Amino acid sequence: MTDTSMTMHPVLSARNVSLGFDDTTILAGVDLTLHPQEFVAVVGASGVGKSTLLRALAGLLAPQSGRVEIPAAITPDTRAWSMVFQAPRLFPWRRVRGNVELGLEGLSLSKAERRRRALEPLALVGLDEFAERWPHTLSGGQQQRVGIARALAVQPRVLFMDEPFSALDAITRRRLQQELVELRRRTEAAIVFITHDIEEAVLLADRVMVLGNGEMDQPARVVETLEVDMPLDDRRDHPEFAPLVQRVETIIGNH
């Protein structure tokens, strides 16, 4: 996160948000303010409501109470937010560039501009030379990079990532984690990142938001938000890294 980001207006604000279905509340009292280039990781036990929260923050799920605000896109040729899913969700009948252009097709862009806007994020994720490949010729990690490029092509103010690396093998996952660290420095987008991997959360985030259930049969809540006050480079080797991972594990284990 840049030093100037905190003087900017928020790109996302959630106030006392409660979420659920019908008469059942599964997550209550969530507050979150996000500024440009901030990275918040959301962790917690399975079923605690992480992905439900993500959908609500993106405006895909109406809260039972409270309010979520995402300012509008800056220009007609951008979007306020975009999403990276656990699976790449690429269309097999579109080449790589065509998949990245998909999110741009509803915007006020010429064909030439769509091409340029697709190639820029492909270069950012190291796949510009693969623009005319078919998705089935790419590895799993490369396909996920295409999904990230597609999300970045619309120049979102907020990038939502729903366990984007969970289906990948350990080596590919670690490589993409490092690439995401580099990507953070080259985009203004704020990021909300859902993960089950506590090390991944501490490795990537400025803040780790821990969801948990205080009591049986009660809605989950944000039980603690921890600041990650370590430089991004070589964070795994920082003396505070392992203790912070253990602290998050303990919090989750107690809730």
Side-chain angles (χ1 to χ4, degrees), residues 76-95:
D77 60 355
T78 64
R79 295 194 187 277
W81 63 270
S82 59
M83 182 86 71
V84 178
F85 300 94
Q86 181 175 340
R89 299 189 180 186
L90 305 181
F91 290 115
W93 58 86
R94 282 179 174 248
R95 296 182 189 270

Side-chain angles (χ1 to χ4, degrees), residues 11-134:
V11 292
L12 184 150
S13 178
R15 289 288 176 267
N16 198 28
V17 170
S18 293
L19 303 167
F21 306 95
D22 300 324
D23 296 327
T24 302
T25 300
I26 64 173
L27 188 60
V30 176
D31 293 311
L32 174 64
T33 300
L34 198 62
H35 291 83
Q37 288 192 304
E38 281 192 298
F39 191 125
V40 172
V42 182
V43 299
S46 296
V48 79
K50 298 186 295 296
S51 293
T52 300
L53 175 60
L54 193 74
R55 290 196 295 273
L57 294 176
L60 301 176
L61 177 67
Q64 290 178 321
S65 62
R67 188 171 182 178
V68 176
E69 295 181 352
I70 299 180
I74 297 174
T75 62
D77 60 355
T78 64
R79 295 194 187 277
W81 63 270
S82 59
M83 182 86 71
V84 178
F85 300 94
Q86 181 175 340
R89 299 189 180 186
L90 305 181
F91 290 115
W93 58 86
R94 282 179 174 248
R95 296 182 189 270
V96 166
R97 179 169 56 83
N99 270 281
V100 176
E101 286 185 12
L102 186 64
L104 300 169
E105 291 176 355
L107 302 178
S108 54
L109 297 169
S110 66
K111 186 175 180 179
E113 184 66 8
R114 286 201 306 269
R115 179 186 178 93
R116 183 189 68 79
R117 286 271 295 272
L119 291 175
E120 284 181 353
L122 279 172
L124 204 60
V125 299
L127 290 178
D128 47 324
E129 295 182 359
F130 294 74
E132 301 307 318
R133 290 271 200 98
W134 295 103

Side-chain angles (χ1 to χ4, degrees), residues 42-48 50-51 86 162-164 166 173 193-201 248-249 252:
V42 182
V43 299
S46 296
V48 79
K50 298 186 295 296
S51 293
Q86 181 175 340
D162 192 3
E163 299 190 64
S166 62
R173 183 171 188 155
F193 189 94
I194 304 297
T195 181
H196 279 94
D197 188 326
I198 297 169
E199 281 199 9
E200 182 172 74
V248 177
E249 289 176 344
I252 294 174

Side-chain angles (χ1 to χ4, degrees), residues 223-245:
V223 295
E224 194 162 347
T225 299
L226 299 96
E227 299 286 336
V228 185
D229 190 18
M230 289 176 266
L232 278 170
D233 293 320
D234 302 318
R235 186 174 279 188
R236 274 194 177 93
D237 297 326
H238 195 280
E240 296 178 15
F241 180 78
L244 185 54
V245 170

